[in-house]
Amino acid sequence: MDDDEAIARSLDGDLGAYEVLVARYSALAHRTAAMLGAGDEAEDVVQEAFVKAFRHLPKFRRDAPFRPWLLRIVANETHNLTRARGRRSDLAVRLTAADPAGPVASDDPAGAAVATDRRARLLAAVRGLPERERQAVVCRYFLQLSEAETAQVLGWPVGTVKSSTHRGLARLREEVGGELA
């Protein structure tokens, strides 16, 4: 069942169809919440986001993609959480993807140690970015959203996404050097 069918059936009262959407997007929603600063509270943020999405499903524009709409709700809920904490959000990023420098053979302990160190330094540098730049970089490169999807998720103009991403990447290049090239 594709998103359009699941949405239509959900609007007709089929909770099983909405469960399909929840199952399809839960991992991405959790990753988004965690990377945008929810940390240990990502589960709560995602639950609240799915509840709000369900309640507002009748207002969803049927000609628009569901994924960015849902992630916008997740981003808003994460923002509400971090604002309520009254402190700068703590980025809890778990990279499951391959290292940017390439795969490391499992029988190469030195290579694995270098990759782990490189990943840790990159994540520390991302955590240190100003919030807008961090959000743009996380959405574009960690969540692999397009510029248009990032703009929709964050509620920004596309130009702001482009400039924030550019500034964030420039800061990361300064911080971690040629390792991002």
Side-chain angles (χ1 to χ4, degrees):
M1 170 179 343
D2 67 8
D3 287 356
D4 292 334
E5 182 182 351
I7 291 166
R9 288 175 55 181
S10 296
L11 288 170
D12 288 336
D14 182 353
L15 293 180
Y18 193 69
E19 288 176 15
V20 169
L21 293 170
V22 171
R24 183 173 296 150
Y25 292 109
S26 278
L28 179 60
H30 279 89
R31 207 166 52 243
T32 301
M35 294 175 86
L36 292 178
D40 293 338
E41 297 174 88
E43 178 70 34
D44 295 336
V45 167
V46 170
Q47 274 188 325
E48 184 63 27
F50 275 114
V51 168
K52 283 189 176 181
F54 184 75
R55 275 197 314 245
H56 292 95
L57 204 54
K59 297 178 184 175
F60 173 69
R61 273 192 16 245
R62 299 290 291 278
D63 60 333
F66 181 76
R67 183 177 81 146
W69 182 76
L70 173 66
L71 294 181
R72 172 73 187 266
I73 296 169
V74 172
N76 286 341
E77 287 301 308
T78 303
H79 177 73
N80 292 343
L81 170 73
T82 58
R83 187 177 60 211
R85 284 183 188 154
R87 58 183 161 81
R88 186 177 174 118
S89 62
D90 178 33
L91 181 62
V93 178
R94 293 183 186 150
L95 286 180
T96 56
D99 186 88
V104 176
S106 59
D107 60 345
D108 180 12
V114 167
T116 299
D117 179 62
R118 182 177 293 133
R119 187 176 299 119
R121 288 190 307 160
L122 175 61
L123 293 176
V126 170
R127 283 186 196 102
L129 289 174
E131 184 174 357
R132 290 179 74 84
E133 293 171 15
R134 178 177 47 82
Q135 289 175 330
V137 168
V138 163
C139 285
R140 291 285 291 126
Y141 295 99
F142 288 88
L143 300 176
Q144 299 178 337
L145 299 177
S146 69
E147 286 175 343
E149 290 171 328
T150 299
Q152 185 176 359
V153 166
L154 297 175
W156 301 349
V158 172
T160 302
V161 169
K162 288 180 180 183
S163 62
S164 295
T165 303
H166 178 77
R167 283 193 303 272
L169 290 177
R171 287 182 204 264
L172 290 174
R173 282 187 192 98
E174 285 177 20
E175 183 76 23
V176 296
E179 294 181 30
L180 294 178

